[in-house]
Amino acid sequence: MPLSPDLLAAVEAFAGRPTLLVATDFDGALAPLVPDPSDSRPVEGGMERLTELAALPGVTVSLVSGRALRDLAVLSGATPEMVLLGSHGAEDSRHREGLALTEAQQALLAALDDELATLVEDHPGAWVEHKPAGRVVHTRRMDPVAGPAALDAASALGARHTALVATPGKEVVELAVAHVGKGAALLGLAEDLGVDAVFYAGDDVTDEHGFAALAANDREERAARRLTVRVGDGETAAQHRVADEHELVEVFQALLDARR
Ligand SMILES: [Mg+2]
């Protein structure tokens, strides 16, 4: 499908600003969702277009993901000039020292591991991904009844520990002991870089925080110059929508053409 005239006009206007942050979610936006998250790879042409964008003057490219920073770096094949924000912004590739958890956060993580071991026994097929600041319960390999029950159990576990931040996604629930959120992470990066305008694309609940935060940015000029794109269906606060990862690559190409 060709991109809508509205979206192309928005890309033209966006690309004309002096300095840009072009940020995107990884899974479900840049990389098609797959049953085993470790098999995930960027869609054809995606990283190539982003690498070309990152090489243009005044453009910073960022990948913003719930994944651990190390996973995101390996699976995406991002170049060093790209800024990677992992663990929903709790990890930042510009800060090599990584995460420093408090003793209380470490103790909470240990308690969480004990409880998740029981959860996995009770819900066969669910599995737990370890991240530096939390754990993620995955149910993508489970059937349509058992999967949601396991996610409910994970959310209930999160609710019992008030210090945990539970973030539901597509067939996942993340339980984090340190949480920034994609919205705050995007605004923080835009502020650090001092860019005039921010592009963000994503496909999931957590990305909606990004869309909403960019719309409500205190820097009203920057908020007015945002360009937000929801990938796939579902209710959204984004300004535009594309059908899938392939169409997002077309948006990157349009950005490149307009910027050049
Ligand atoms: Mg996603």
Side-chain angles (χ1 to χ4, degrees):
M1 281 263 293
L3 301 178
S4 75
D6 274 5
L7 176 50
L8 282 173
V11 165
E12 286 280 340
F14 175 83
R17 308 296 177 192
T19 55
L20 308 177
L21 169 60
V22 177
T24 179
D25 174 36
F26 185 70
D27 294 280
L30 186 60
L33 296 175
V34 289
D36 182 344
S38 63
D39 291 337
S40 180
R41 295 294 180 275
V43 66
E44 189 180 348
M47 288 309 289
E48 290 82 352
R49 297 296 90 72
L50 289 178
T51 302
E52 291 174 70
L53 277 166
L56 296 179
V59 181
T60 302
V61 170
S62 175
L63 304 184
V64 185
S65 175
R67 283 186 186 262
L69 186 61
R70 189 177 305 175
D71 272 9
L72 180 62
V74 170
L75 294 178
S76 67
T79 58
E81 56 271 16
M82 295 181 191
V83 178
L84 303 187
L85 301 177
S87 299
H88 301 287
E91 296 182 284
D92 184 328
S93 63
R94 296 172 300 166
H95 305 136
R96 277 295 168 199
E97 70 276 16
L99 277 177
L101 297 184
T102 65
E103 276 185 29
Q105 286 171 329
Q106 290 174 28
L108 180 56
L109 210 47
L112 179 59
D113 280 335
D114 288 343
E115 294 195 46
L116 286 175
T118 307
L119 186 147
V120 168
E121 275 176 27
D122 292 346
H123 299 271
W127 65 279
V128 177
E129 175 190 0
H130 285 231
K131 300 210 312 194
R135 303 292 182 251
V136 189
V137 177
H138 289 261
T139 63
R140 208 163 280 153
R141 298 169 190 158
M142 298 173 73
D143 70 53
V145 176
L151 294 181
D152 286 347
S155 294
L157 199 168
R160 281 202 298 280
H161 294 279
T162 51
L164 283 175
V165 179
T167 308
K170 286 180 180 162
E171 299 179 281
V172 298
V173 170
E174 173 155 355
L175 302 166
V177 300
H179 191 79
V180 176
K182 289 184 176 181
L186 273 169
L187 291 186
L189 180 57
E191 199 55 44
D192 289 350
L193 296 169
V195 291
D196 298 301
V198 180
F199 172 96
Y200 187 61
D203 74 308
D204 207 344
V205 184
T206 55
D207 301 307
E208 292 297 325
H209 300 308
F211 301 143
L214 291 174
N217 194 339
D218 290 340
R219 296 283 199 92
E220 286 178 21
E221 296 240 300
R222 191 183 286 152
R225 294 167 180 166
R226 78 190 184 283
L227 176 49
T228 50
V229 178
R230 169 86 177 205
V231 181
D233 49 18
E235 215 174 297
T236 187
Q239 300 160 296
H240 300 272
R241 188 190 301 277
V242 294
D244 56 21
E245 299 85 355
H246 299 281
E247 277 194 26
L248 183 61
V249 175
E250 290 180 40
V251 175
F252 295 152
Q253 183 63 55
L255 264 172
L256 270 171
D257 294 342
R259 186 72 179 176
R260 281 166 175 163

